[in-house]
């Protein structure tokens, strides 16, 4: 049927088995055209027989294509074009009427499918109007056309089919909404994973490259004054570069971990290379794995900021079972944007997973800057 458009591409591809099930769901109801088909096949005149069978076949194919088109439009979340829906219904009705010379009064069985298609393709109000017209037509024509008789069976079939199609259409709509929600969840998950990877790469490379830059600068100054010390610093630069590369690979592979003990050792090396006196704890309390990792990230971010921005001469790191502090005697970040950079954003995100608080700003009662991460119940 020319009025039926080509079936659009399914935006949520499914297996061939389930696609075939969708087609069968529409085609199986065509069994109710069997009486009209039997009437057409028993016509004495060949042209009536051919016309009746041909229009019924075209009607069935048009109905199945219309159902599949409407189903895919709903799956894609796109509105069904009103003009095209009316054109489809008009084409189906025209095929049913065209088959009357071959099917006689049995053509009215096609009204059941026209009503069901209206429920599936049209908004509620016009669909109800079509259903009422399709239901009353057999009763009216049965009284007006001699030999047809009132088709009460068609009347009830139209109402029942419309009610069943109403349930099918609502189910299709809910499935489309569910699939759209799932697609949005997948998109947000990908965005979150990208943000996590970007955050981790920033935290890892920001710290490592800062230390590499400081040590390279120190090696340059010592090259003539103390070549042996310069060679040691260059060896440290090479080691740090390899560790940074390993961390990046670990981040991409999602198996890298950060520990407080490792970060304290790295902090001592970075602070010493920058000419900042490091005051670190002699021992560490037993910490749960998640808290140990969070405190490690806090030390990494705090020391990176001290080396980059503070201009400090001394940096102190304190660790308790419930909190970690990185404090210095310098000027802190040179601008507010430095204090709220990507590293601290990432640290706050990690802290929020443990309901921990992050404090960053000027030290009270003295010069310098303070970064503090405390889990619930931490004492000031």
């Amino acid at each position: 049927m020319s009025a039926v458009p080509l079936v659009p591409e399914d935006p949520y591809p499914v297996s061939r088995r389930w696609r075939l099930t969708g087609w069968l769901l529409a085609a199986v109801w065509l069994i109710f055209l069997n009486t009209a088909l039997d009437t057409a096949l028993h016509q004495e005149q060949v042209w009536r027989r051919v016309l009746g069978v041909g229009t019924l076949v075209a009607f069935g194919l048009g109905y199945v294509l219309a159902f599949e088109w409407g189903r895919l439009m709903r799956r894609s979340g796109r509105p069904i074009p009103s003009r095209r829906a009316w054109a489809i219904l008009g084409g189906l009705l025209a095929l049913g009427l065209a088959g009357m010379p071959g099917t006689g009064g049995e053509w009215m069985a096609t009204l059941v499918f026209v009503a069901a298609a209206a429920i599936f393709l049209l908004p509620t109000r016009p669909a109800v109007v079509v259903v009422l017209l399709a239901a009353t037509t057999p009763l009216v024509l049965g009284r007006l056309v001699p030999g047809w008789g009132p088709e009460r069976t068609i009347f009830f079939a139209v109402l029942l089919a419309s009610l069943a199609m109403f349930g099918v259409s609502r189910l299709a709509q809910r499935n489309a909404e569910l699939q759209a929600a799932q697609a949005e969840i997948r998109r947000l998950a990908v965005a979150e994973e990208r943000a996590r990877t970007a955050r981790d790469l920033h935290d890892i490379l920001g710290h490592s490259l800062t230390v590499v830059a400081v040590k390279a600068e120190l090696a340059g100054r010592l090259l003539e004054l103390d070549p042996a010390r310069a060679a040691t610093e260059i060896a440290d630069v090479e080691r740090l570069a390899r560790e940074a590369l390993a961390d990046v690979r670990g981040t991409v592979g999602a198996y890298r971990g950060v520990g407080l003990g490792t970060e304290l050792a790295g902090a001592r090396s970075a602070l010493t290379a920058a000419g900042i006196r490091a005051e670190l704890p002699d021992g560490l309390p037993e910490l749960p794995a998640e808290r140990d990792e969070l405190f490690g990230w806090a030390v990494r971010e705090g020391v990176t900021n001290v080396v980059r921005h503070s201009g400090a001469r001394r940096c102190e790191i304190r660790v308790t079972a419930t909190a970690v502090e990185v404090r210095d005697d310098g000027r802190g970040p040179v601008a507010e944007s430095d204090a709220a950079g990507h590293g601290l954003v990432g640290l706050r995100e990690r802290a929020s997973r443990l309901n921990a608080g992050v404090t960053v700003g000027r030290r009270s009662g003295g010069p310098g800057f303070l970064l503090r991460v405390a889990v619930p119940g931490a004492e000031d």
Side-chain angles (χ1 to χ4, degrees):
M1 185 176 67
S2 59
V4 179
L6 294 176
V7 176
E9 181 182 356
D10 192 342
Y12 301 102
V14 295
S15 67
R16 181 177 300 179
R17 174 185 176 185
W18 287 108
R19 184 182 295 276
L20 179 62
T21 301
W23 286 86
L24 290 177
L25 182 63
V28 69
W29 299 104
L30 297 177
I31 190 66
F32 293 105
L33 294 176
N34 65 325
T35 303
L37 181 62
D38 183 69
T39 301
L41 290 174
H42 287 82
Q43 293 289 341
E44 294 182 359
Q45 296 175 299
V46 175
W47 72 271
R48 290 179 182 274
R49 194 183 310 154
V50 172
L51 179 63
V53 173
T55 54
L56 287 175
V57 170
F59 181 91
L61 180 61
Y63 174 77
V64 171
L65 288 175
F67 180 85
E68 182 66 9
W69 173 73
R71 186 177 70 88
L72 293 183
M73 290 293 289
R74 289 178 180 275
R75 281 172 60 84
S76 67
R78 292 175 291 175
I80 295 177
S82 179
R83 291 183 179 180
R84 188 168 296 182
W86 281 111
I88 291 173
L89 295 177
L92 291 176
L93 181 61
L95 284 172
L97 291 171
M100 277 197 299
T103 58
E106 301 299 336
W107 78 273
M108 288 185 288
T110 62
L111 294 175
V112 177
F113 299 91
V114 172
I119 290 292
F120 198 66
L121 300 179
L122 295 178
T124 302
R125 289 186 178 181
V128 170
V129 172
V130 172
V131 169
L132 293 177
L133 290 175
T136 57
T137 295
L139 301 179
V140 174
L141 292 182
R143 295 181 179 276
L144 297 179
V145 179
W148 281 11
E151 291 287 350
R152 294 185 178 85
T153 302
I154 300 297
F155 171 81
F156 288 109
V158 168
L159 297 182
L160 291 176
S162 301
L163 183 61
M165 186 57 73
F166 178 80
V168 171
S169 65
R170 291 299 176 267
L171 178 61
Q173 181 179 350
R174 295 295 181 267
N175 285 339
E177 293 172 352
L178 176 61
Q179 289 162 348
Q182 290 173 339
E184 180 66 11
I185 290 172
R186 288 192 294 269
R187 186 190 67 80
L188 292 176
V190 170
E192 173 63 22
E193 182 62 18
R194 288 175 177 171
R196 184 195 67 80
T197 302
R199 180 190 65 214
D200 285 356
L201 288 176
H202 170 272
D203 292 348
I204 292 168
L205 294 182
H207 173 79
S208 300
L209 294 181
T210 296
V211 179
V212 166
V214 170
K215 283 185 171 291
E217 181 182 359
L218 177 60
R221 294 199 305 265
L222 294 175
L223 192 58
E224 295 182 359
L225 299 176
D226 190 348
R229 174 75 184 281
T232 301
E233 296 298 333
I234 291 298
D236 280 348
V237 168
E238 180 182 1
R239 176 183 58 81
L240 288 170
R242 293 183 183 278
E243 289 178 355
L245 179 59
D247 282 343
V248 170
R249 288 172 176 169
T251 300
V252 174
Y255 58 79
R256 176 197 44 78
V258 171
L260 178 58
T262 303
E263 294 305 319
L264 286 173
R268 183 184 298 277
S269 175
L271 293 170
T272 301
I276 301 173
R277 188 170 82 251
E279 297 182 5
L280 308 182
D282 296 328
L284 297 177
E286 291 290 335
L287 299 174
E290 292 183 346
R291 193 181 305 175
D292 183 83
E293 181 179 359
L294 174 62
F295 286 4
W297 282 113
V299 169
R300 172 173 288 207
E301 178 61 25
V303 171
T304 299
N305 287 335
V306 169
V307 173
R308 280 181 177 177
H309 308 298
S310 70
R313 293 175 298 176
R314 182 178 66 87
C315 175
E316 179 184 5
I317 299 177
R318 296 180 179 179
V319 179
T320 68
T322 54
V324 60
E325 292 183 358
V326 180
R327 57 177 68 195
D328 62 69
D329 60 356
R331 63 177 181 274
V334 297
E336 288 297 325
S337 60
D338 295 325
H342 295 291
L344 288 175
V345 171
L347 182 60
R348 287 191 173 96
E349 290 177 358
R350 293 185 177 92
S352 65
R353 298 170 191 168
L354 299 182
N355 295 322
V358 177
T359 303
V360 57
R362 298 288 179 182
R363 289 175 57 182
S364 59
F369 213 71
L370 169 69
L371 169 65
R372 186 173 192 270
V373 177
V375 298
E379 299 177 356
D380 294 331

